[in-house]
Amino acid sequence: LEESVEQATESWSSMPFAHAEHLEVENLRQARQAEEQLSSLSLALSKELQKHREANQSLAHVVESEQEELQGYAREEKLMQDAWNKERQALAEEAATVATELQRLATGL
């Protein structure tokens, strides 16, 4: 880059003033154009990043909602399992009582 600047400086110093002035104006125009393009690209990138940020936030809310729903299902499953175990225990006790009663009746005959 420094070498390019030195070469441009040398070529400008050997050019007629009007031509050098024209090149300087052209360089300023190109620099302004490049700056405008960079600003435009920066704005487009900012908008794209904002869209991705919003999409990520939306997805995070969906994931959070799904996790809460899954936790609700896990609690419901635990309650159902506890109720089923309690009922099974009650039926087992009732069966043991009936078996004891049948055995008592069978020995009494």
Side-chain angles (χ1 to χ4, degrees):
L1 181 61
E2 289 179 21
E3 189 176 310
S4 297
V5 171
E6 285 178 27
Q7 288 174 355
T9 304
E10 287 175 17
S11 65
W12 283 3
S13 62
S14 64
M15 287 184 205
F17 181 73
H19 186 64
E21 190 174 280
H22 170 73
L23 286 177
E24 186 176 347
V25 168
E26 180 62 22
N27 284 339
L28 288 173
R29 186 192 67 73
Q30 288 178 358
R32 198 169 319 129
Q33 185 180 10
E35 185 179 344
E36 288 172 2
Q37 288 176 339
L38 286 173
S39 292
S40 176
L41 289 172
S42 178
L43 181 61
L45 178 60
S46 293
K47 287 179 181 179
E48 191 65 27
L49 288 173
Q50 180 64 29
K51 279 196 273 185
H52 285 282
R53 186 175 16 263
E54 289 169 0
N56 285 343
Q57 288 173 342
S58 177
L59 184 58
H61 290 303
V62 168
V63 168
E64 183 180 342
S65 175
E66 295 294 327
Q67 286 176 334
E68 289 173 0
E69 187 175 356
L70 184 61
Q71 290 171 352
Y73 290 144
R75 284 189 299 271
E76 187 178 333
E77 178 184 16
K78 173 86 169 96
L79 290 173
M80 290 174 73
Q81 187 175 17
D82 289 347
W84 183 79
N85 285 338
K86 187 176 180 181
E87 185 177 344
R88 192 178 84 198
Q89 181 65 32
L91 290 173
E93 290 171 4
E94 184 179 337
T97 302
V98 168
T100 302
E101 183 63 22
L102 286 175
Q103 193 173 31
R104 186 186 63 78
L105 290 173
T107 56
L109 291 175

